[in-house]
Each structure stands twice: as structure tokens, then as C-alpha cells.
Amino acid sequence: MANKVLVPQIAVPYVKDDLAKHHLKMISTSNAQKADELLSKGKDAVAVMLLGAPFTKDMIDQMPNLKVISRFGVGYDNVDYRYAAKKGIKVTNTPGANAASVAEAAVTDILILSKHSYSISKAMREGDNDYVAKHPTNELAGKTVGIIGFGHIGRMVAKMLSGFNVNVLIWNRHPKQSQYGKFVDWDTLLKQSDFITLHVPATPDTIHSISTNEFKMMKDSAHIVNFARGSVIDQKALVEALKSGEIAGAGLDVYEKEPLPEDSELRKLPNVYLTPHNAGHSYEAIERMSTRAASEMERVINNEQPKWQIN
Amino acid sequence: MKAKVLIPEYAAKYVTDDFKKHKIEIKTTSSTQSEDELLAKGKDVSGAMILMPPDGFNQNMIDQMPNLKVISRLGVGYDNVDYHYAAKKGIVVTNTPGANAISVAESTVCDMLILAKHSYSISKAMRDGDNDYISKHPTSELAHKTVGIVGYGHIGQAVAKMLSGFGVKILIWNRHQKQSQYGKFVDWNTLFQQSDYISLHIPSTSETIHSVSRKEFKMMKKSAMIVNFARGSVIDEKAMINALKTGEIAGAGLDVFEKEPLPMDSELRKLPNVYMTPHISAQTTEAIEQTAINAASEMIRVIEGQRAKWQVN
């Protein structure tokens, strides 16, 4: 009997031939991947390719043949990877596969915030060509950009900014070297930056690491950009800082709760630019994440060592 | 009697002291600067600092300002000034090359990224409660794509430099071929055929007006996008609308239009694959200050009988 693997719709076009070649029986799922759906389609699956939906202990217990949970993407905070390890199930991810996409999107947000691009364009479509007169825009040149977290994505952001004549400050858990910026301590980065962009994973050390104290340290004119995880920012403190003018604005792709609830205060603030956690989902990144996540599943099923095991 | 100058209100705070020091009297105008307003306020002025007056700075206005010595453009393009006629009357026309180049170049790169990532539409859909827009409209990476820069003056060069960290291939067309560490000079057709993003940075002259028209859109890839921060007249807007509607090209990022402000009934407003801004890329706080200071210094030079630095006529 062919081994059954669960694959989200988004990845199917890129991996179906390859999985067939490896004699795996692909079952496609929706991209939502709710527990009910995964369990009803694949209790007997040996592998799951997983997007952002939670993969809990209970689900692991109900899938006795499972050998590998292959994250399509980088963060794995949605998987109970410790419990998986105990049961001998490997959890993998696809580091770097969407780094360029996410880094480009972070730079896009920095530029959009600096130029009020979204609001100006929206006002123009509505017939108001004069919005800019009331909302002066800025050059990025000469400003200081603080990059928090210097993994794949943070490094690419620094490189992309190298042609803009900005001063780049970097904070990383372990200071490294970079030709593109200067490593500084946490407080210095927060106090001196005009734009702060977050590229740290969600871990017990980083969750809510950006909170009231950090917003107080930031300049009133500073903007924060988050393409990491919503939980890294204390969202309530962020809303407060945006409303009181403690900071000037935010560009957000990730939220504490996703999709961002319709009644979230963030939606009402004019100084927030929002996207729905889609930075990593370019054609190019989807293809790379799909093929890499599939090859990790194939490796584990064939009893080979996966390349990017995280547990 | 003191010399008088007309300057737009928003530039006043950067240059008032300077004019005072030179004993020149300031009269401020709105940012619109219609013909009526300029003539009502300034028939007797020696200098006019101008943005983008809707009626241009035409022969009639020049004739009605007998003391005029200098027309100083805040910005680079001077296609809205009748500079030939001004020259005949001994009036110096100046601009401020480079002063807003960084602002315009940053906006250009911003538009390329917004187009690659459908940023405007995705954010708007999310605000409207549709988080699923993204699954129907996959975005792209800029990395590994080919960007064609048409015109390699201050702004084109700044765009090339800004793109140097993105891992893109850069093609450049310029009237006179130069050298660049950031990209390769190619002929017109090659640039249009091979580029995924094409960005225009040429002035509006008799040679460039409508230089991007049907033939160019046909040469472009169906997946290609065009970005215009030069002048609306450089593109044949009717041909572009057709190319955008038929799928001959994938999208456009536009800050300039054949008619400005863009009429409310313009077809461009109805197209979902157009990202538009109302000719504001040069209006950053930094560029406004720098262009105002440079434009004022040109007026002061000419009024005091010195040679202008950036005379264009």
C-alpha cells in the first residue's frame, strides 16, 4: 500500500509529480488545514506538509503512522514539536526558502510608511489629490534603520538597504559581523532608529519582547515593521503607542491573532499599513517551499536524514 | 523699490530668511498657482518660483509681468514653462536638478515593489475584510528579475544604485551611452523586450513625447510592468490603457499623467492593475526643503545680476 501524505492545495502543483515518482499517495487538503479536515482525510498518513495551522498533541496521538511534519515555511511555533520528538516524529522546516520574499516585503513596508503610499493612493482614487499637503512624506536616505534579528531574512533586508544610503543598526542574540550595518545593544537600537524591522522567531525569550518599555524608548517619529510573528509584539501596547503618538506608525504582516479580527483596533488606525501574513507567499517562494518541504517528507519516509530537522 | 517674488506658501518657511537677507519681498501663492492667481498677485514681480501651474507658465503670463527676470522651477522638468519665449524676452528659466532625485528614485523602487507584491490591493482587500485575496493573486519576488531603466540622469542612476542590493539584473537605455557599475547599456528594443519592470526617467521633449506607445507595449512581456515617474506625456496614455486592458502588459505604477490632476473619469482609475499616486514623489519634506533652497538661490542670483547655476534656456 502506498504511503499517504497530506499536502495543502497551495503546494500541490509543484510537488504532485515528484511525490508520485516516489510512490507516495498524495491527498490534497485546503490551505486552512483545520484539525477536523486533516484527521478525516489522513489519520493513517505518514507525512503532513503543514502551513500555519496548529498541529497539536491530540492530532499527533490520532495519527499513529506519522513520521514527519514538514513545515512549509520557517516558523514552527504552531507545531507541538517537543511532543512530536517524544513520539519519534520528525519536524522539519524550509529555512531561507522565502527569505528574499519576506525581506523584500519588509523593505516595501518601510518605503510605503515613509511615503504614505497606501493612504495617498487611496485618497487619490477617492478624488483627493491634496492628501500629501496635509501628510508630508519623507526620504529614506539619511535615516537609521534598526534590524532586530540577523538570520536569513534580517541579513537580506540589510543587503537590500545597502543602496539607499541609510544607517543600519543590528541587534542579534549573538552579535555577528556585517558589512551592511553596526551591531548595537537592544536599547541603542530602539532609541536611535527611525524604522525598526523585526526578524526574530517567536520563542519564550522573544514573545512580547516589544512592549510598552520599547515603545517608550522609540522616537515619536519612528515606525515599526513586523514580518516575524505577531506574538513578538505586545499588540495592546502597540495600539496604545500608535494612538498616543508615542510612535508614528506601523507596517504589519503578522498579528497576535490571525486572521486579524474584524473588530481589531489596528484596523481603525490611519497610521498602520496592514497585510494578511502573505509576505512569504510569492510564486517563487511557494515553489521553493513546496519542493523543499516535499523533499524533506521523502527523505524521512525513505529513512534518510532530513536536511532541516528542528526537533 | 524692493524687488518682489512669488513663491508657493509651502516653500516659504525654508527661504523667507534668505530673501529677507537680500532685501527681496515675498508674496506667497497657493500650491496650485493658477494663471489667475499668479497674475492677480504678481504682475509686478521680478521672480516666480513655480511648481506645476495648471496653465503652465505661458506667453500671456510672461507678457503681463514686465519686470520678470527669472522663472525658477521647483523640480527638474520645465516642459510647463514657455522657456523659448522667456529666452526671447531675456527672462532666465532655471530648475533644481538632483535636489529631488533621491525622493523620486525611492518612490520608483517603492512602486516596483508594490506592483510585485500587489501591496495596495492586498492591503485594501484585507481592510475590506477579504483575507483570501492573496490566494487568487500570488505575488512575486523582485530578486532575479530584469529591471529596465529608461534615462540615466540623476534619478535613473539613483534607482540603479538602490536596486543594487536586490539581486536584479539591470538594463539601461540612455540617449548617450554611459558606463555604470550597476547595469548594462542596451538598445531601446532590447530593453523593452527583456525587462520585467520598466522605469522611465527621461524628460518630456519633442523626441520623448509618446515615445512609449503601441509598439513598445507590444514588445514588452505580458508579465511586465511599467513605472512612470518622469512625465505623463512620455507615455501614449491611450495605448497604455489598451495594453493594460488587453493583458499586453501586466500592470503600471504611475505618478504622472497626460492630464493632471488625473480626471475623475479617466479609465486608468477603473483598472485594477494600476497603482497610482498624484505626482507627489518629489514632495518629501527633505526634497521640498532642498528644491526650495536651490530655487530661491537661483532667483536671488538672477535678481542681483549674477549668473544662474541651472539655467535651462
Side-chain angles (χ1 to χ4, degrees), chain B residues 99-111:
Chain B
N100 60 20
I102 297 299
S103 287
V104 177
E106 286 181 0
S107 287
T108 303
V109 175
C110 185
D111 265 33

PDB file of all heavy atoms in Angstrom, chain B residues 99-111:
ATOM      1  N   ALA B  99      17.989  67.848  -6.823  1.00  0.00           N
ATOM      2  CA  ALA B  99      17.522  68.159  -5.467  1.00  0.00           C
ATOM      3  C   ALA B  99      16.447  67.186  -4.996  1.00  0.00           C
ATOM      4  O   ALA B  99      16.340  66.900  -3.811  1.00  0.00           O
ATOM      5  CB  ALA B  99      17.005  69.593  -5.404  1.00  0.00           C
ATOM      6  N   ASN B 100      15.640  66.681  -5.926  1.00  0.00           N
ATOM      7  CA  ASN B 100      14.616  65.728  -5.512  1.00  0.00           C
ATOM      8  C   ASN B 100      14.864  64.332  -6.078  1.00  0.00           C
ATOM      9  O   ASN B 100      13.993  63.469  -6.026  1.00  0.00           O
ATOM     10  CB  ASN B 100      13.218  66.231  -5.876  1.00  0.00           C
ATOM     11  CG  ASN B 100      13.068  66.452  -7.368  1.00  0.00           C
ATOM     12  OD1 ASN B 100      13.837  65.910  -8.152  1.00  0.00           O
ATOM     13  ND2 ASN B 100      12.087  67.226  -7.755  1.00  0.00           N
ATOM     14  N   ALA B 101      16.063  64.105  -6.597  1.00  0.00           N
ATOM     15  CA  ALA B 101      16.341  62.838  -7.290  1.00  0.00           C
ATOM     16  C   ALA B 101      16.173  61.635  -6.361  1.00  0.00           C
ATOM     17  O   ALA B 101      15.605  60.612  -6.753  1.00  0.00           O
ATOM     18  CB  ALA B 101      17.756  62.861  -7.874  1.00  0.00           C
ATOM     19  N   ILE B 102      16.657  61.764  -5.143  1.00  0.00           N
ATOM     20  CA  ILE B 102      16.582  60.627  -4.217  1.00  0.00           C
ATOM     21  C   ILE B 102      15.127  60.312  -3.888  1.00  0.00           C
ATOM     22  O   ILE B 102      14.718  59.150  -3.879  1.00  0.00           O
ATOM     23  CB  ILE B 102      17.383  60.939  -2.925  1.00  0.00           C
ATOM     24  CG1 ILE B 102      18.859  61.137  -3.266  1.00  0.00           C
ATOM     25  CG2 ILE B 102      17.200  59.845  -1.892  1.00  0.00           C
ATOM     26  CD1 ILE B 102      19.545  59.953  -3.897  1.00  0.00           C
ATOM     27  N   SER B 103      14.336  61.339  -3.631  1.00  0.00           N
ATOM     28  CA  SER B 103      12.921  61.116  -3.327  1.00  0.00           C
ATOM     29  C   SER B 103      12.211  60.414  -4.469  1.00  0.00           C
ATOM     30  O   SER B 103      11.465  59.453  -4.261  1.00  0.00           O
ATOM     31  CB  SER B 103      12.218  62.446  -3.041  1.00  0.00           C
ATOM     32  OG  SER B 103      12.608  62.946  -1.793  1.00  0.00           O
ATOM     33  N   VAL B 104      12.438  60.898  -5.688  1.00  0.00           N
ATOM     34  CA  VAL B 104      11.758  60.305  -6.841  1.00  0.00           C
ATOM     35  C   VAL B 104      12.247  58.867  -7.050  1.00  0.00           C
ATOM     36  O   VAL B 104      11.446  57.955  -7.298  1.00  0.00           O
ATOM     37  CB  VAL B 104      11.980  61.160  -8.107  1.00  0.00           C
ATOM     38  CG1 VAL B 104      11.338  60.503  -9.319  1.00  0.00           C
ATOM     39  CG2 VAL B 104      11.403  62.556  -7.903  1.00  0.00           C
ATOM     40  N   ALA B 105      13.546  58.654  -6.903  1.00  0.00           N
ATOM     41  CA  ALA B 105      14.087  57.301  -7.103  1.00  0.00           C
ATOM     42  C   ALA B 105      13.535  56.342  -6.054  1.00  0.00           C
ATOM     43  O   ALA B 105      13.165  55.207  -6.358  1.00  0.00           O
ATOM     44  CB  ALA B 105      15.617  57.343  -7.052  1.00  0.00           C
ATOM     45  N   GLU B 106      13.447  56.790  -4.809  1.00  0.00           N
ATOM     46  CA  GLU B 106      12.881  55.915  -3.762  1.00  0.00           C
ATOM     47  C   GLU B 106      11.429  55.558  -4.081  1.00  0.00           C
ATOM     48  O   GLU B 106      11.015  54.415  -3.916  1.00  0.00           O
ATOM     49  CB  GLU B 106      12.943  56.613  -2.394  1.00  0.00           C
ATOM     50  CG  GLU B 106      14.347  56.670  -1.802  1.00  0.00           C
ATOM     51  CD  GLU B 106      14.362  57.365  -0.429  1.00  0.00           C
ATOM     52  OE1 GLU B 106      13.290  57.788   0.055  1.00  0.00           O
ATOM     53  OE2 GLU B 106      15.455  57.484   0.146  1.00  0.00           O
ATOM     54  N   SER B 107      10.666  56.535  -4.542  1.00  0.00           N
ATOM     55  CA  SER B 107       9.269  56.256  -4.884  1.00  0.00           C
ATOM     56  C   SER B 107       9.164  55.286  -6.047  1.00  0.00           C
ATOM     57  O   SER B 107       8.251  54.461  -6.105  1.00  0.00           O
ATOM     58  CB  SER B 107       8.540  57.547  -5.237  1.00  0.00           C
ATOM     59  OG  SER B 107       8.305  58.287  -4.081  1.00  0.00           O
ATOM     60  N   THR B 108      10.099  55.395  -6.968  1.00  0.00           N
ATOM     61  CA  THR B 108      10.110  54.488  -8.111  1.00  0.00           C
ATOM     62  C   THR B 108      10.311  53.043  -7.649  1.00  0.00           C
ATOM     63  O   THR B 108       9.583  52.134  -8.047  1.00  0.00           O
ATOM     64  CB  THR B 108      11.247  54.889  -9.076  1.00  0.00           C
ATOM     65  OG1 THR B 108      11.064  56.246  -9.461  1.00  0.00           O
ATOM     66  CG2 THR B 108      11.265  54.003 -10.292  1.00  0.00           C
ATOM     67  N   VAL B 109      11.310  52.849  -6.802  1.00  0.00           N
ATOM     68  CA  VAL B 109      11.574  51.499  -6.286  1.00  0.00           C
ATOM     69  C   VAL B 109      10.386  51.025  -5.447  1.00  0.00           C
ATOM     70  O   VAL B 109       9.977  49.861  -5.520  1.00  0.00           O
ATOM     71  CB  VAL B 109      12.884  51.486  -5.457  1.00  0.00           C
ATOM     72  CG1 VAL B 109      13.107  50.117  -4.824  1.00  0.00           C
ATOM     73  CG2 VAL B 109      14.066  51.856  -6.339  1.00  0.00           C
ATOM     74  N   CYS B 110       9.811  51.941  -4.694  1.00  0.00           N
ATOM     75  CA  CYS B 110       8.623  51.616  -3.892  1.00  0.00           C
ATOM     76  C   CYS B 110       7.501  51.105  -4.805  1.00  0.00           C
ATOM     77  O   CYS B 110       6.863  50.084  -4.512  1.00  0.00           O
ATOM     78  CB  CYS B 110       8.194  52.858  -3.117  1.00  0.00           C
ATOM     79  SG  CYS B 110       6.833  52.605  -1.975  1.00  0.00           S
ATOM     80  N   ASP B 111       7.265  51.776  -5.930  1.00  0.00           N
ATOM     81  CA  ASP B 111       6.214  51.340  -6.857  1.00  0.00           C
ATOM     82  C   ASP B 111       6.512  49.960  -7.442  1.00  0.00           C
ATOM     83  O   ASP B 111       5.616  49.130  -7.586  1.00  0.00           O
ATOM     84  CB  ASP B 111       6.055  52.352  -7.998  1.00  0.00           C
ATOM     85  CG  ASP B 111       4.944  53.347  -7.708  1.00  0.00           C
ATOM     86  OD1 ASP B 111       4.761  53.677  -6.523  1.00  0.00           O
ATOM     87  OD2 ASP B 111       4.269  53.797  -8.645  1.00  0.00           O
TER      88      ASP B 111
END
